Each structure stands twice: as C-alpha cells, then as structure tokens.
Amino acid sequence: MAAGAALIDVVAVRAGRPAAAWRRHLSAELGTRPVDDVWMLTGAAGAAAVGLWLIVLALTPGLRRRLPLRSPAPGLRASLDRDGAADLLRDAAIQVPGVATARIRVRRHRIKARADVRFRDLQQVKDDLTAALHEERDRLALIRPPRIVVRVRQHTD
C-alpha cells in the first residue's frame, strides 16, 4: 500500500506536479536525523528483516509443482504432482484410436495436449481426444480443474 502511494507520488512529480506533503516531510526528517539515531536504526533493521524474508520466500519452492485435490474429509489435504497428472493424461490420450504419440503439459490453469494422428479424420480424433482428456481430468478430482487445449496434426514418417 505504501509502495503504491510512493509510486503514484513519484509519477506525479515526474509529470510536473509538486511532491506530496507527507513525502516532503519524510525527506526532511530523514535528511536531518543522524544515522546513529534509534529510529533510523530501527527502520533500517525492519527494512532489512522484510528484505531477508522476501528473499527466503523467493528461494523456497513451495507447492508450485503440485495440484490440490478435492478431499472427502475437512481436515484432509492431498495434492498431485503435475508430472504425474501429465502421465495419467498421456496414458488416456494414447488409448484414443488413431493417436500415434501424445505430449501433455499440465499447468495450474491449462492443460496443453498435442497429438500426432496416424489414421482417422483429424477432427474426429480431436473430438475423441478432448472427451477422453476431460473424462480423465474429472477423474483426477482436482479442486480447480484446468482448461484443456487440444492440438492434433497428421503424423508424418
């Protein structure tokens, strides 16, 4: 919030308007206080702690590689690895008649499926593949099911 207010004020100053009163007051206070003042040291320590915490958060992996699953019990939490979900969807895609190879990429909001079709009509295979992937995605029981995007192309030797 404070960073947004400071950014708006900096943009206003760059546009030719005078700086906000709070910013002029803060600049005057910071310019007249000695560096070894208790408030200056406290502010610097707080800023350093916040910066260190942000660095730690940026370096920790978190659960970005996991997709949360629906749970039958309120206290039970489960998740599925994205690569595991891609493998399950790839197996379902290979089962569709006419699909020679399938590449599946699972993200948080989208599943991208690319398939090479060896025989059958491309549109017919795409419809069957889309239906099979929707069925398998629904069987995964994800809390927020990703959107499915299917691309097919004729297999060339």
Side-chain angles (χ1 to χ4, degrees):
M1 186 76 154
L7 180 62
I8 289 171
D9 190 47
V10 167
V11 169
V13 168
R14 295 299 247 170
R17 296 182 59 202
W22 64 269
R23 197 169 125 202
R24 286 192 305 259
H25 177 71
L26 183 62
S27 298
E29 285 293 321
L30 291 174
T32 58
R33 287 188 188 263
V35 178
D36 61 349
D37 184 49
V38 172
W39 290 109
M40 293 290 282
L41 293 174
T42 303
V50 168
L52 185 62
W53 180 248
L54 289 174
I55 289 172
V56 167
L57 287 177
L59 295 177
T60 54
L63 298 176
R64 293 181 195 106
R65 300 284 310 155
R66 304 230 174 243
L67 298 169
L69 300 174
R70 285 192 303 263
S71 172
L76 183 65
R77 296 176 72 189
S79 62
L80 176 64
D81 185 59
R82 282 197 230 169
D83 292 334
D87 289 341
L88 291 171
L89 291 165
R90 188 176 302 111
D91 290 343
I94 293 296
Q95 301 285 328
V96 174
V99 174
T101 60
R103 290 170 302 286
I104 308 289
R105 188 169 203 167
V106 178
R107 297 287 180 214
R108 285 182 188 260
H109 302 290
R110 190 175 341 168
I111 297 170
K112 286 186 180 179
R114 292 183 180 167
D116 291 335
V117 177
R118 193 168 293 254
F119 59 91
R120 288 182 67 200
D121 180 48
L122 287 178
Q123 188 59 43
Q124 201 175 28
V125 173
K126 183 176 182 177
D127 294 342
D128 291 347
L129 181 59
T130 302
L133 290 176
H134 276 284
E135 183 181 328
E136 187 66 26
R137 181 203 60 191
D138 294 342
R139 217 177 316 153
L140 293 177
L142 299 172
I143 289 176
R144 291 176 299 276
R147 186 170 60 95
I148 295 176
V149 177
V150 177
R151 291 191 179 144
V152 293
R153 66 180 183 181
Q154 196 68 40
H155 179 75
T156 56
D157 288 325

